[in-house]
Amino acid sequence: MESAFSSPAEAALQREAGDPALLTPVSDLDQVYELERVAAFIGDLDCPRVALQFPDRLLGDARAVATRLEEATGSKMFILGDTAYGSCCVDVLGAEQAGAQALVHFGPACLSPPSRPLPIAFVLGQRPVALELCAKAFETQYPDPTVPVALLSEPACAHAMEALATLLRPRYPELLVSSPALPLPAGSLCPQPEPLERFGRRFPLAPGRCLEEYSAFYVGGSEAGSDPDLDPDLSRLLLGWVPERSFFSCCPDTGQIQDEGVRAGRLRARRHYLVERARDARVVGLLVGTLGVAQYREALAHLRSLTQAAGKRSYVLAVGRLTPAKLANFPEMDVFVLLACPLGALASQSSGSFFRPVLMPSELEAACNPAWPPLGLAPHLTHYADLLPGSSYHVPLPPPESELWDTPDVSLISGDLRPPPAQKVPEEPGCSALTSRPQLALAESIPAASFLSSRSWKGLEPRLGQTPATGAVSGRQGIAIAYEDEGSG
């Protein structure tokens, strides 16, 4: 029963900490993990205790990296390797439990703001990039030098984007180079004008220009033709980019090009399907997928009020990392909504093994808020903070007397007419006098009770007065391999 609701304890003991065949050579540790920069970061803060967060695939190098940093800085290092949720988020809770005054995050990161203030340094990695091959691929796809193009990359290739832009700028004056939205050092001045921050990146737009005018050239991923559905960072870009603009991805090793328009169309079609499933749902499970990202409490309260206004029941579930076995324990839920960072929410959607759809908060907003723009016109918001009051994308709920709640709506999945949401919960009567009733009747339609009544097996029933009393009898004796009443043959 314990393994049904949480990961079994034996799994942490049996899991390999990194692949021994993929360990980084000792001579390359300084370059791969940027130990000189990390040591300078720790030395400037003068922190006696520092937490080092590694994803599972890099845990094999954790001991060697911690030893090097302890020798260089004299500070005590604590390795955080088993995060409660996604490894892309900063585990500020684990750092606080270790009493650390700073944290260094290694590997891919969502760059979401943490829920608690803590000095953080990110080491995204440095994947080799074939600059000449990528520049040639760029020129092949964009022969017109006047077309505005945004240069994007996966986090591990961000170190080479300025060098690639240097090769392209003489011919492409409208080139826009993005960079990871890393936290600015304390005391540093923000450049003026402030760059646009979106998709975990900064875009230094020229005055009078907007991001919707640019096509996209993404450096990252693997060979063309491989399955790219496991890359949530690229999925976030494809969903949020303007559909009318071209989007190409380039393998940094070989320079092979892939047109991502087909995949972007698939992702948008799936999003439309998930919104329809959310509109048909009567019971919504709100999954807590983070405790370290800022404003997660406000977002959870917003989603609960959103489902209540739409006439749906919601239940908050905290199950840690999602698995199909965990969510299968809640068959009463029609859909689940994962409250997590953008990369964590998209990574769960790419898995088709869940018995109920797992949505993002923006998809629930589009399904429950009648004032939300149509799907073809509304932007796809990957971070739940964009839905909260104070954001430029926030759309408040219309008042209960608004005509938007009474607009006829037909399900595109079942073809049935959806009833208007019942926003006012009926008040309980003040008098509770006992009166004899011939039969018990269900006064209010509760989705959980309706689901239970539709089951063929409803659990053990007392059946008082219906089962005759009998005396106790002796059962079979012996062991399972050979009972006494069984023959020897």
Side-chain angles (χ1 to χ4, degrees), residues 272-282 312 334-335 355-357 359 367 413 418:
H272 291 186
Y273 167 75
L274 293 177
V275 171
E276 286 297 315
R277 288 292 300 266
R279 288 172 177 166
D280 289 344
R282 300 179 60 191
K312 305 179 186 297
D334 296 323
V335 295
F355 86 112
R356 291 286 190 269
L359 285 70
I413 297 178
R418 297 192 185 100

Side-chain angles (χ1 to χ4, degrees), residues 43-62:
D44 294 340
L45 296 175
D46 193 18
C47 297
R49 303 164 69 91
V50 181
L52 307 179
Q53 182 177 344
F54 291 84
D56 291 344
R57 63 182 183 85
L58 298 180
L59 277 177
D61 295 332

Side-chain angles (χ1 to χ4, degrees), residues 20-357:
L22 300 178
L23 295 182
T24 304
V26 178
S27 58
D28 298 338
L29 284 176
D30 293 346
Q31 178 182 0
V32 173
Y33 291 96
E34 305 180 35
L35 297 185
E36 183 177 354
R37 180 172 68 89
V38 174
F41 166 78
I42 299 174
D44 294 340
L45 296 175
D46 193 18
C47 297
R49 303 164 69 91
V50 181
L52 307 179
Q53 182 177 344
F54 291 84
D56 291 344
R57 63 182 183 85
L58 298 180
L59 277 177
D61 295 332
R63 181 179 180 181
V65 172
T67 303
R68 289 283 190 90
L69 291 177
E70 286 184 347
E71 295 174 353
T73 62
S75 302
K76 180 64 176 178
M77 302 295 160
F78 295 86
I79 299 175
L80 306 180
D82 188 15
T83 55
Y85 299 100
S87 59
C88 63
C89 299
V90 176
D91 190 6
V92 292
L93 299 181
E96 288 185 353
Q97 291 176 358
Q101 293 84 23
L103 186 145
V104 182
H105 184 282
F106 297 93
C110 60
L111 301 179
S112 301
S115 59
R116 304 182 185 182
L118 187 71
I120 303 171
F122 291 92
V123 179
L124 303 177
Q126 296 186 2
R127 181 180 177 183
V129 179
L131 297 178
E132 297 292 340
L133 296 178
C134 293
K136 184 178 180 180
F138 185 96
E139 295 172 353
T140 302
Q141 297 300 325
Y142 298 102
D144 186 4
T146 61
V147 175
V149 183
L151 191 60
L152 310 169
S153 71
E154 68 177 34
C157 298
H159 67 96
M161 289 304 98
E162 281 298 333
L164 180 60
T166 303
L167 299 177
L168 298 173
R169 277 201 181 101
R171 185 180 175 187
Y172 296 90
E174 298 291 337
L175 186 66
L176 177 65
V177 183
S178 65
S179 60
L182 298 172
L184 298 176
S188 61
L189 297 177
C190 184
Q192 296 295 334
E194 295 184 6
L196 173 68
E197 288 195 15
R198 195 178 297 178
F199 314 118
R201 294 165 171 83
R202 292 191 178 98
F203 298 89
L205 292 170
R209 304 301 298 266
C210 60
L211 192 60
E212 288 74 17
E213 302 175 2
Y214 288 82
S215 301
F217 187 83
Y218 179 86
V219 179
S222 55
E223 293 282 351
S226 62
D227 185 12
D229 292 335
L230 300 179
D231 187 0
D233 181 64
L234 181 56
S235 300
R236 171 171 59 169
L237 290 169
L238 292 177
L239 282 171
W241 212 260
V242 181
E244 291 77 14
R245 303 299 177 185
S246 60
F247 198 112
F248 293 96
S249 64
C250 176
C251 178
D253 303 323
T254 62
Q256 287 187 322
I257 293 294
Q258 184 172 355
D259 188 355
E260 299 291 349
V262 176
R263 183 184 175 214
R266 272 201 321 267
L267 292 174
R268 296 188 186 99
R270 174 169 175 79
R271 185 202 175 204
H272 291 186
Y273 167 75
L274 293 177
V275 171
E276 286 297 315
R277 288 292 300 266
R279 288 172 177 166
D280 289 344
R282 300 179 60 191
V283 186
V284 180
L286 303 179
L287 301 173
V288 179
T290 181
L291 295 177
V293 180
Q295 295 184 300
Y296 75 93
R297 295 180 183 272
E298 295 83 351
L300 184 60
H302 173 73
L303 295 182
R304 296 186 65 179
S305 61
L306 188 67
T307 53
Q308 182 180 4
K312 305 179 186 297
R313 300 270 179 171
S314 64
Y315 298 90
V316 180
L317 307 173
V319 295
R321 292 195 180 188
L322 301 187
T323 62
K326 291 180 183 178
L327 299 189
N329 290 282
F330 308 98
E332 296 84 359
M333 308 300 166
D334 296 323
V335 295
F336 294 97
V337 179
L338 179 58
L339 187 68
C341 71
L343 300 187
L346 286 171
S348 301
Q349 286 195 352
S350 62
S351 175
S353 56
F354 295 103
F355 86 112
R356 291 286 190 269

Side-chain angles (χ1 to χ4, degrees), residues 391-481:
S391 171
S392 57
Y393 298 101
H394 173 68
V395 178
L397 287 171
E401 62 274 6
S402 174
E403 297 180 355
L404 294 176
W405 295 107
D406 300 329
T407 303
D409 189 16
V410 178
S411 171
L412 300 181
I413 297 178
S414 62
D416 299 334
L417 181 66
R418 297 192 185 100
Q423 299 186 23
K424 297 182 180 180
V425 180
E427 299 180 357
E428 297 183 358
C431 178
S432 58
L434 298 178
T435 57
S436 58
R437 295 181 180 179
Q439 294 180 354
L440 293 178
L442 187 63
E444 182 184 355
S445 177
I446 301 177
S450 302
F451 181 84
L452 181 62
S453 62
S454 63
R455 283 184 170 181
S456 59
W457 185 80
K458 303 179 180 61
L460 300 180
E461 299 179 4
R463 300 179 59 86
L464 297 177
Q466 303 180 25
T467 303
T470 59
V473 296
S474 300
R476 304 177 72 179
Q477 299 180 1
I479 60 177
I481 195 174

